[in-house]
Amino acid sequence: MSAVAQAPARTPRQVVGAYVALTKPRVIELLLITTIPAMLLAERGLPPLWLIACTLAGGTLAAGSANALNCYIDADIDSVMKRTGSRPLAKNSIPPRNALIFGVVLGVVSFAFLWITTNLMSAVFAVATILFYIFVYTLVLKRRTSQNIIWGGLAGCMPVVIGWSAVTGTVELPALAMFGVIFFWTPPHTWALAMKFKEDYARAGVPMLPVVATAQQVTRQIVIYSWATVLCSLLLAPVTSWIYVGVALASGVWFGVFAHRLHGVVRKGGSTNTMKFFHMSNLYLTLVFCGLAVDAVVGLPVLGWPF
């Protein structure tokens, strides 16, 4: 009688690690980079630390829910892409049913937690973000259009709105300006990554822009969206001081020039290191939002509106 091969037993630590990986912790870093400065700007100082902690915890649960459900839906894509082949469902480390339940439970808990510790508006925004990311981006846009990341990226803009509403109970123009910064920043950031893994996306049948357009067309769009990001960041000047404006201008020029250089190399037919731009864009966003945080805490007089 032949023995049936069985998968080796996994330790509790490995199981926990697989569920943590399902939430895509590195993606959640954006939550920390943008939510805290948004709360500091809303308060124009330091909000209660418990409110910051609760907002971050609730937001992390919501982001983890969206990411886990995304992994559940995209398991077939992840299994054929080298970049995502190590994800838990692609490696069969977690049963798909368990991943689905885990994602749903995280979403429910995030809503209840934010409602209890912050306010109903923030909780509703968190759930709306999960639903948009799953039903609009993952199920509709991602596999159907090269515009996927432009509109799908709206979900990644919501942490600043959640942070602002947690402090103020409202959504005001500065929150929308921060939303706009992340909205315009997301496509060039993601397209740089997609250029590196173009063959991966093509093999999985995902029509990311670099798959359906030339490198020159993609980098031209990167330049346009990069400068749009910089311009949107300056909309926050009236509610900040020279500290933030100085950081936004200096880092914005650096970001825009770097995008131009990338496009210039491609246009001349040279080899490009798009991952350098990808990592640099992360640093740019960090600098802008750290500038906001420092500006809010220092509390210098704001520049105000010119009219």
Side-chain angles (χ1 to χ4, degrees), residues 124-203:
V124 169
F125 280 147
V127 171
T129 302
I130 297 170
L131 296 177
F132 181 89
Y133 187 69
I134 296 305
F135 290 101
V136 178
Y137 172 66
T138 306
L139 289 174
V140 177
L141 296 174
K142 185 172 183 178
R143 306 189 193 207
R144 289 178 172 83
T145 173
S146 61
Q147 298 282 307
N148 49 19
I149 199 61
I150 296 175
W151 303 110
L154 288 170
C157 305
M158 289 302 294
V160 294
V161 178
I162 294 171
W164 187 279
S165 64
V167 173
T168 67
T170 63
V171 176
E172 298 169 287
L173 288 176
L176 298 180
M178 288 184 286
F179 182 100
V181 170
I182 302 171
F183 174 77
F184 288 114
W185 169 88
T186 301
H189 171 75
T190 308
W191 287 332
L193 179 70
M195 289 180 74
K196 169 70 173 179
F197 296 100
K198 174 182 175 179
E199 299 304 323
D200 250 7
Y201 285 109
R203 184 166 50 251

Side-chain angles (χ1 to χ4, degrees), residues 60-139:
T60 299
L61 289 170
S65 169
N67 290 332
L69 294 173
N70 172 264
C71 284
Y72 170 78
I73 296 168
D74 280 350
D76 59 328
I77 292 176
D78 290 344
S79 64
V80 300
M81 293 179 63
K82 293 180 181 179
R83 186 176 69 87
T84 56
S86 62
R87 287 179 179 171
L89 292 181
K91 293 172 57 180
N92 297 314
S93 301
I94 297 173
R97 179 175 176 272
N98 290 11
L100 175 62
I101 294 172
F102 178 65
V104 171
V105 169
L106 283 182
V108 172
V109 173
S110 71
F111 174 80
F113 183 81
L114 284 171
W115 189 2
I116 293 170
T117 60
T118 60
N119 54 53
L120 179 59
M121 178 179 286
S122 296
V124 169
F125 280 147
V127 171
T129 302
I130 297 170
L131 296 177
F132 181 89
Y133 187 69
I134 296 305
F135 290 101
V136 178
Y137 172 66
T138 306
L139 289 174

